Amino acid sequence: MSPFTWQKSSYCPEGNSCVHIGATPQTIHLTESGDPTGSILTATPAAFDALVHVLKENAHRG
């Protein structure tokens, strides 16, 4: 059994392939809803925070 509950991105409309996130105190897990157990990206909270920061910075430049 998974130690966390998957949550769907709030930016995802119904029926589309979406990013899901699950977390524990030590790790953040990302997966794609079309194949939720196929590929799971795992990161520390600090690494995930850095990723989100870079994505937000690049979104404002585009």
Side-chain angles (χ1 to χ4, degrees), residues 21 26 34 38:
I21 187 169
Q26 299 83 20

Side-chain angles (χ1 to χ4, degrees), residues 6-9 12 15-22 29-41:
W6 289 110
Q7 297 177 23
K8 183 172 69 168
S9 167
C12 182
N16 288 351
S17 188
C18 302
V19 172
H20 288 149
I21 187 169
H29 308 273
L30 298 169
T31 190
E32 192 267 320
S33 64
D35 188 15
T37 59
S39 296
I40 298 173
L41 173 68

Side-chain angles (χ1 to χ4, degrees), residues 1-2 5 11 14 16 19 26 37 39 44-45 48-49 57:
M1 176 174 261
S2 179
T5 301
Y11 290 98
E14 284 300 317
N16 288 351
V19 172
Q26 299 83 20
T37 59
S39 296
T44 65
F48 181 73
D49 184 54
E57 286 291 316

